[in-house]
Amino acid sequence: MTVLFSLPPPVLVPTSTGDQFPVRRILCVGRNYAAHAREMGRDPDREPPFFFTAWAETVVLNGAIVAYPPKTVDFQYEAELVVAIGRAGRNIRSDVALSHAWGYACGLDMTRRDLQLEARANGRPWDTGKNVEQSSPLGLIRKAGEGFDPGRGAIRLSVNGTVKQDAQLSDMIWPVADIISYLSGLYRLEPGDLIYTGTPSGVGPVVEGDVITVNIDGLDPLTVRIGPRAS
Ligand code: MN
């Protein structure tokens, strides 16, 4: 028997050790910062964060040009801390959860906001709004234990040099250890999984030519440029 065609290899992300991190799956947290939940018209005291997913192939690397995607006129940035899982586990306790993180990186959860909000209003899945080609830019992954603390420090995003998002990682409703613990009760986490941990307030639209930069204290910055509409 022959295999009909070959599939692309996983996306490989550069790391601080010089090794490459292969991407297996992408898990994302929604509304993990109270001020962002409020700007999206939700009450964080009444609705806890939740999860959604994206294809691994949506990851693009630092310096990428992200094509403006089809079927939207409201493509938006969301700066996020990303956890790169290095050790498998199910039902992981919060107090040992960080030992499953291989490392951390700056990320973007680029969103077709108009499609997301239309889906939300109709009680439909978010996939067409959130799971978008090239929508998961990811910076260099810094190995855990090299001094970065996922519970403290600033997370900032700028568009063409103007700061649009400026918050503290300690503002997360569910800290990283709790996210890993909770998710591992739903799925067996596997090496190569990426967890996008949610965005702070200040999200907004981009246009062709915009340069988006994410900075998180202790991590390498992530910069992408918005390209022409995908053809
Ligand atoms: Mn997000």
Side-chain angles (χ1 to χ4, degrees), residues 29 52 78 80 109 130 198-199:
V29 185
F52 55 96
E78 295 188 355
E80 310 207 357
D109 171 20
K130 284 292 191 179
T199 197

Side-chain angles (χ1 to χ4, degrees), residues 220-231:
D220 285 41
L222 164 67
T223 298
V224 300
R225 178 186 294 270
I226 305 302
R229 194 176 273 277
S231 56

Side-chain angles (χ1 to χ4, degrees), residues 73-151:
V73 293
D74 193 12
F75 193 41
Q76 296 203 356
Y77 56 78
E78 295 188 355
E80 310 207 357
L81 171 67
V82 177
V83 184
I85 297 294
R87 193 154 67 84
R90 192 191 288 283
N91 297 323
I92 301 164
R93 294 199 324 267
S94 286
D95 62 321
V96 296
L98 294 186
S99 69
H100 291 259
W102 188 91
Y104 303 92
C106 292
L108 279 164
D109 171 20
M110 299 299 296
T111 301
R112 285 190 283 218
R113 188 73 69 203
D114 39 5
L115 297 193
Q116 181 205 4
L117 294 181
E118 183 185 354
R120 193 178 85 170
N122 290 294
R124 292 174 183 155
W126 284 11
D127 299 50
T128 58
K130 284 292 191 179
N131 189 12
V132 180
E133 290 155 342
Q134 298 186 292
S135 66
S136 307
L138 189 65
L140 181 137
I141 301 173
R142 181 152 300 281
K143 191 174 196 294
E146 291 184 349
F148 173 71
D149 179 345

